[in-house]
Amino acid sequence: MDEQKQLREHLLELLEGKSAHIDTESALDGFPVDKINVRIDGSPHTAWELLEHIRIAQWDILDFSTNPNYKEMKWPDDYWTEPEGTAEDWKRSVEQVLNDLQAMRDLVADEKTDLYAKIPHGSGQTIFREAMLVSDHNAYHIGQLVLLRRIFESQ
């Protein structure tokens, strides 16, 4: 098996999230939408803020990975949302998170994608790095969402 094929398989497994962590879809499925704007004491973010941050950051990474006309966003202002979300906002955000995650998986799975090639408009980043970044970033914030969900379910 060639090195990139084997690496693709490992990255796809990591992006799916089922090996060491709960997968994104399972973590978000059935989240108590009536609690998405509730801030737990000691928690810096609501579930809505976390979901939107995942959506925005993942979209930005995907856009950077695929768009030669990519425009850099301003940290942290462009990555964190201010207003509260509605049930419909939550649904739309979940759909985009899952769709963009699949788009990243499709990019990694495409044998024409050189995982090690530097992204032309970047400063040394590769698709390999960006796929790892999506996995790591999502796992961190999905963990926060799962914790909030468990707190809500225990109340």
Side-chain angles (χ1 to χ4, degrees):
M1 180 179 293
D2 79 30
E3 183 180 333
Q4 284 216 18
K5 183 175 181 185
Q6 191 171 32
L7 182 59
R8 266 180 233 293
E9 290 176 7
H10 291 306
L11 284 173
L12 290 170
E13 182 179 340
L14 189 61
L15 286 165
E16 187 174 1
K18 291 184 179 178
S19 293
H21 308 287
I22 187 170
D23 65 286
T24 302
E25 187 170 7
S26 296
L28 298 174
D29 186 42
F31 194 94
V33 179
D34 61 323
K35 305 283 189 189
I36 63 173
N37 297 303
V38 173
R39 188 175 313 277
I40 299 290
D41 287 343
S43 176
H45 305 291
T46 66
W48 171 246
E49 291 167 343
L50 290 168
L51 177 64
E52 274 294 275
H53 177 67
I54 291 168
R55 181 190 65 76
I56 293 164
Q58 182 178 255
W59 174 85
D60 183 52
I61 295 166
L62 180 62
D63 189 44
F64 172 75
S65 298
T66 60
N67 182 0
N69 298 314
Y70 171 79
K71 301 287 186 241
E72 188 172 342
M73 295 171 59
K74 184 178 178 192
W75 174 260
D77 300 344
D78 293 340
Y79 291 87
W80 290 98
T81 188
E82 292 292 327
E84 292 187 348
T86 65
E88 189 58 35
D89 293 333
W90 180 268
K91 181 181 176 196
R92 276 194 303 269
S93 190
V94 166
E95 286 174 4
Q96 186 178 347
V97 165
L98 296 177
N99 288 340
D100 288 348
L101 182 56
Q102 185 59 51
M104 179 57 83
R105 293 184 86 238
D106 292 345
L107 180 62
V108 167
D110 186 345
E111 292 180 6
K112 291 177 267 179
T113 301
D114 182 345
L115 299 173
Y116 298 126
K118 291 181 180 175
I119 297 172
H121 53 275
S123 58
Q125 300 91 336
T126 64
I127 297 301
F128 172 74
R129 178 208 184 260
E130 298 307 301
M132 295 287 290
L133 184 59
V134 166
S135 296
D136 180 62
H137 186 263
N138 284 4
Y140 179 83
H141 292 300
I142 290 295
Q144 291 176 301
L145 281 167
V146 168
L147 179 61
L148 288 177
R149 181 180 188 160
R150 288 183 180 161
I151 291 169
F152 293 141
E153 289 171 350
S154 71
Q155 294 178 336

